[in-house]
Amino acid sequence: VSDALAELISRERLAARVAELAEQINADYRGREQDLLLVGVLKGCFLFMADLLRHLEFSPAIDFMRLASYGPDTETSGVVEIRKDVEIPVAGRDVLIVEDIIDTGLTLDYLRRHLMAGSPKSVRICTLLDKPARRKVSLVADYVGFTIGDDFVVGYGLDYHERHRGRPSICVLNPDSDE
Ligand code: 5GP
């Protein structure tokens, strides 16, 4: 492990919290799980979504979206472009967005409005990480794994220039370093 990375959330804490989130989701959607659609936001969601899904007591439909937003290195501008949309129609579905991290909230605010336009029964948000101090729009997730401070983090699916996605824990990156 490089000096530029400091572990913030261990793989054990991640695993335990993901199991707890799945328990909440199990309880909330029990009995109406046939309409549930998990929509993962690529790429950062892929490990979280896989682990979450394996803890659910039902086997919902899943789909993915891919968004691009423009801005400086480690920040979103709010100008969001849909690179890949959902393929399963959301009409009449209980949509659960699965996101890696909410920072300014601009990406998910856009995404939620986009999905609402498809007439789903409901749209909820499940995020592994939340940085509420950085919010630019009022956006509250329904399921939050960990609330963190104003740090740029990598690991467990999250990258910096495509690096570190496979790290099993969440680490704080110093973006000024060479890592
Ligand atoms: P928002 O629109 O909420 O500002 O940004 C959300 C997106 O910005 C996330 O899906 C993620 O791609 C990226 N992002 C925000 N904060 C971080 C961070 O600390 N680490 C990484 N790797 N990506 C982040």
Side-chain angles (χ1 to χ4, degrees):
V1 176
S2 150
D3 289 337
L5 294 179
E7 185 174 277
L8 184 65
I9 307 169
S10 70
R11 70 192 300 172
E12 292 78 16
R13 285 181 67 209
L14 284 169
R17 188 68 186 125
V18 171
E20 286 176 1
L21 289 175
E23 278 313 306
Q24 286 181 38
I25 294 166
N26 283 334
D28 290 352
Y29 289 91
R30 197 170 285 141
R32 55 191 182 105
E33 64 265 19
Q34 61 286 340
D35 292 330
L36 182 58
L37 173 64
L38 260 52
V39 175
V41 186
L42 293 171
K43 301 178 194 175
C45 76
F46 79 110
L47 290 178
F48 174 45
M49 180 129 152
D51 286 343
L52 188 69
L53 189 60
R54 281 178 285 193
H55 281 288
L56 295 183
E57 65 187 26
F58 25 83
S59 193
I62 67 165
D63 209 338
F64 294 95
M65 289 187 67
R66 174 95 171 109
L67 306 170
S69 64
Y70 301 98
D73 230 13
T74 58
E75 201 171 346
T76 309
S77 64
V79 182
V80 181
E81 179 199 326
I82 295 176
R83 290 265 174 87
K84 182 215 172 306
D85 206 343
V86 285
E87 293 164 32
I88 299 174
V90 300
R93 293 246 186 202
D94 290 308
V95 174
L96 181 60
I97 300 172
V98 180
E99 172 68 296
D100 51 359
I101 186 165
I102 306 177
D103 186 26
T104 63
L106 292 166
T107 305
L108 268 190
D109 186 55
Y110 177 89
L111 179 56
R112 186 167 58 179
R113 278 186 282 114
H114 172 77
L115 289 171
M116 290 298 283
S119 306
K121 202 190 294 176
S122 67
V123 176
R124 285 189 183 174
I125 295 169
C126 175
T127 187
L128 178 67
L129 304 172
D130 191 9
K131 294 186 194 175
R134 303 233 329 145
R135 231 29 133 258
K136 289 183 179 164
V137 288
S138 86
L139 186 113
V140 180
D142 301 277
Y143 307 94
V144 177
F146 299 90
T147 300
I148 64 171
D150 183 7
D151 286 311
F152 191 84
V153 293
V154 295
Y156 196 62
L158 287 93
D159 76 313
Y160 179 66
H161 292 318
E162 285 305 320
R163 297 188 59 201
H164 309 300
R165 288 195 198 275
R167 287 182 183 274
S169 60
I170 295 287
C171 300
V172 174
L173 175 86
N174 173 5
D176 296 328
S177 80
D178 294 333
E179 294 304 307

